[in-house]
Amino acid sequence: MLKQPASRRLKGRIWRLAACMGAVAFAVITLGNQFIQGVTFKQQVAFYLPVVSGQCLFVVLALYALSAAYLRPVLDTLDCFEEGREPARQLVAKARRAAFNYPLDMLVFLALCGIGLILIFHFSEWFFFYKGDIPANWWLATFQAAAFELTLTVSLALLFFAFARRPLREFLEKTTGLAPDEGKRLAIRSRLLITIISIVVIAASTFLYSYLFFPLEGKPLPIGLFLILTVLIAAFCVVVGVITASDTARDIVLVTGKLEQITRGIRPGLHQTLAVTSLDEVGDLVVAFNRLQRQAALTYREVDRELALARSVQAELLPKEFPFWPGWEVAGRSLSARQVGGDFYDHIPLAGGRFGLAVGDAAGKGMPAALLMAAVIGLLRAEAPREESPAKVLGRVNDLICGTVSGGMFITALYAVFDPAAGICTLASAGHLSPVRFLPDGTGPELVDTGALPLGLASGVSYRETTLAIPPGGGMAFYTDGIVEARNVTGELYGFPRFLDAFRFSSGSTGEAFILSVIDEVSRFTGGEQEDDLTLLVVRRLR
């Protein structure tokens, strides 16, 4: 079976909704005339049924015809969507305005139409039955009946308002444009107040008639009828109240659902807005959120530009390549968890053909860690050529850092001096992870025990040195906790055993190839989620 076009489905829903409202009005008024007003069967057939059915049919046809004309821009826009054509901007704006205003305008139409038909009905009733002789309580009974019928009309109009908004929400979600101050508004408070007044008037008028008019007409109060009437009125009031409240709740649920989707899938810097689907307080909330999103987007773009500049500056601080030292191979790689990070590595040329290598990890991530990292790189480059001892270099840098940083910031660092001719490495660590010394055949990689307080925690710290012999084919690896403290989806750490196994399985590979293999393995272990900055620096003696 072929699917009907969206415009035809919308017209069908409006027709069914109008027919249901007319059928409910006909049934309630007819039953009220029969059991409450005491209309005889002959009077029903002769006057009430034809008049009431004619009025209800008139309302249904008029409501449908008016709806089809009113919603013409919406129907034309839906046809464009159905045919894969882009509707004109003016048509979409006109369609959204019609979709916003239609439920409220139809509510007003039904209320005014109900007032007119009620007046015509009771004038016709007077003319048909009581033109010459009006009963003593006829005016009071007519007033009660008119109040009942008017509030019934308003209640049904509210139901039509609530049900008509449902298919139009789907259309409004597909388009963007109007804000709540560009159309007709019916506040949530007003809708609830109208609903409550209608329910109270319907219940009060019905019960007053039962208690007052039966005795005035000299009839006993039928208890069974009264109980049935009470149940029916209560059920009707509950239905009207629940549908009106659920219509309001649907707007709120729609907004909260979209917000939840945004918070789960949003990417920093991506501006996402919500479609305005109601002209009330919920619509005001959506517009305020969209304005906030636009402001956030501007802020994100500005921050992105600043971070991009900071990243480029940080990239310039890290070595792009290492100098050539005969008989030695040096490779390094650093990956930030954010646009900028706190990890670093560096090389420093020294006198006598020696060279220094440094690696560090500033506490935290992001801009604060990057700034601290940049400061330490600058201090190391300034102090290392002045002092041969790595321990004294770290002590001097620590004293300078302690005089400038505050708020518990610190940085771990390891500085090593290599003598290529002697094949010796002298290193000192300021709270950094123990380096790995590996052998030519890949067997027996070991952690070198080093340690002291990180830089920036306390001044006057003495750091100790460790001197290691590097055999041909062997080397050293310096790294940060982004490798060994990486976690998978179950929370398991990558850990030192896996890291040391990488040296055993990668013997003979180049330093660059080894670093890439470790990064790939860590990425597979974590499922591609990098939570911390990651740095690996490998030094290998070739001969």
Side-chain angles (χ1 to χ4, degrees), residues 303-368:
V303 171
D304 282 342
R305 283 194 293 268
E306 294 178 358
L307 287 177
L309 179 60
R311 185 177 182 85
S312 65
V313 171
Q314 186 181 43
E316 292 298 324
L317 292 175
L318 299 180
K320 294 182 176 59
E321 58 183 16
F322 292 91
F324 173 72
W325 291 293
W328 291 79
E329 177 195 21
V330 182
R333 184 68 64 93
S334 181
L335 300 178
S336 299
R338 298 181 182 176
Q339 286 189 292
V340 291
D343 282 11
F344 75 90
Y345 65 91
D346 199 9
H347 68 83
I348 304 170
L350 302 174
R354 298 176 304 132
F355 63 91
L357 295 177
V359 64
D361 182 4
K365 295 181 286 293
M367 189 63 73

Side-chain angles (χ1 to χ4, degrees), residues 15-78:
W15 168 253
R16 290 191 294 272
L17 181 57
C20 289
M21 296 296 109
V24 171
F26 174 78
V28 172
I29 294 174
T30 301
L31 292 175
N33 290 334
Q34 180 72 39
F35 296 105
I36 299 178
Q37 303 291 343
V39 174
T40 64
F41 179 77
K42 183 178 180 181
Q43 291 173 324
Q44 286 273 36
V45 174
F47 174 77
Y48 289 97
L49 286 179
V51 172
V52 173
S53 60
Q55 288 185 332
C56 291
L57 182 60
F58 167 78
V59 172
V60 170
L61 295 177
L63 180 60
Y64 178 73
L66 183 60
S67 299
Y70 198 108
L71 295 177
R72 174 51 54 189
V74 176
L75 301 175
D76 291 342
T77 304
L78 289 174

Side-chain angles (χ1 to χ4, degrees), residues 1 18 50 69 75 87 106 114 177 183 202 271 334 336 358 367 425 428-429 453 456 458:
M1 183 177 180
L75 301 175
M106 293 305 103
I202 288 176
H271 174 46
S334 181
S336 299
M367 189 63 73
C425 167
S429 174
L453 284 177

